[in-house]
Amino acid sequence: MVIKSVNLETVCGITSKLPENKLPEIAFAGKSNVGKSSLINGLMNRKSLARTSSQPGKTQTINYYNINNEMYFVDLPGYGYATANEKVKAQWGKMIEDYLHQSKKIRAIFLLIDIRHAPSENDRIMYDWILDRGYKPIIIATKSDKIKRSQLTKQIQLIRDTLDVVDDTIVIPFSALSKQGREDIYDLLDQLLSEEVS
């Protein structure tokens, strides 16, 4: 996949109506500090279109990036940020649930998990939530440059076991630094687009 054009087209807040897009949507979900913006920027070949922040939990909107006029990357609010108050947490949860429930164009959901740690309770809830909506999440194991190569297999197995993933779930280790995993994700996106056309 070659990214030729990127445009932040729609930003939806708590009270916004979700757009009825004609193009397929690829959603990105993950904890507040898991490296979601870094992944999206890395895939889009942009340094800072998706805002990264030293303050986790900065994404409080659903952001739709039009990619090549072929698909949307949909950046969902980060969940599980410890210092956010309960009302804010509930709002983020509702936004994510509304999106999963209402969008008719979701073709894949990437669930980001920090490869260094076992998935959290919030990660497990999100994984089950996505399954309950009828989707099979693709797991992106972020920050793979932070562990030794010899630990990769063990950490991926830890993610699979903790989430109790369904068989043949795809898990892709990704590093925003080295770009490890980016080509694998591009291949998946190409596959999804070709299925859309056929």
Side-chain angles (χ1 to χ4, degrees):
M1 166 164 236
V2 179
I3 306 285
K4 295 175 189 147
S5 67
V6 174
N7 176 32
L8 175 56
E9 198 169 279
T10 311
V11 177
C12 292
I14 297 290
T15 56
S16 308
K17 187 176 183 297
L18 296 173
E20 293 184 18
N21 290 321
K22 301 283 188 281
L23 299 174
E25 295 173 3
I26 312 298
F28 294 78
K31 274 199 313 197
S32 301
N33 56 351
V34 75
K36 194 154 48 69
S37 299
S38 298
L39 169 66
I40 293 171
N41 284 326
L43 291 176
M44 296 190 302
N45 285 323
R46 300 296 190 275
K47 277 219 165 63
S48 57
L49 192 56
R51 283 178 305 183
T52 55
S53 172
S54 55
Q55 270 183 295
K58 205 71 179 157
T59 307
Q60 298 176 19
T61 51
I62 299 177
N63 300 330
Y64 291 78
Y65 298 92
N66 183 321
I67 309 295
N68 294 345
N69 288 316
E70 290 180 317
M71 68 169 80
Y72 287 97
F73 285 176
V74 182
D75 186 5
L76 299 173
Y79 56 82
Y81 183 44
T83 63
N85 67 42
E86 291 309 313
K87 185 182 173 204
V88 169
K89 284 182 189 172
Q91 286 176 331
W92 292 344
K94 185 177 184 325
M95 286 173 79
I96 295 170
E97 188 174 20
D98 286 350
Y99 172 76
L100 294 177
H101 200 61
Q102 292 173 27
S103 174
K104 295 177 176 62
K105 283 295 184 176
I106 301 172
R107 293 299 175 263
I109 300 172
F110 290 147
L111 177 60
L112 281 63
I113 307 285
D114 187 329
I115 199 167
R116 298 172 297 176
H117 313 293
S120 67
E121 182 61 26
N122 281 320
D123 291 326
R124 287 200 293 274
I125 290 167
M126 179 55 67
Y127 178 79
D128 291 339
W129 219 5
I130 294 168
L131 279 185
D132 287 346
R133 289 282 173 267
Y135 302 103
K136 189 157 74 170
I138 296 160
I139 310 289
I140 308 294
T142 61
K143 310 193 183 188
S144 64
D145 53 280
K146 307 275 191 200
I147 63 169
K148 293 182 181 141
R149 189 171 284 274
S150 59
Q151 296 175 292
L152 268 179
T153 306
K154 178 172 149 262
Q155 292 305 110
I156 287 172
Q157 195 56 50
L158 178 65
I159 290 171
R160 287 184 179 280
D161 292 345
T162 307
L163 292 178
D164 193 18
V165 297
V166 294
D167 289 342
D168 73 6
T169 295
I170 298 169
V171 180
I172 300 175
F174 176 82
S175 163
L177 209 62
S178 70
K179 304 295 185 280
Q180 177 193 11
R182 186 166 71 168
E183 292 306 318
D184 295 328
I185 296 171
Y186 282 159
D187 289 346
L188 267 178
L189 295 174
D190 282 334
Q191 198 179 322
L192 289 163
L193 280 178
S194 67
E195 286 167 8
E196 193 72 16
V197 172
S198 58

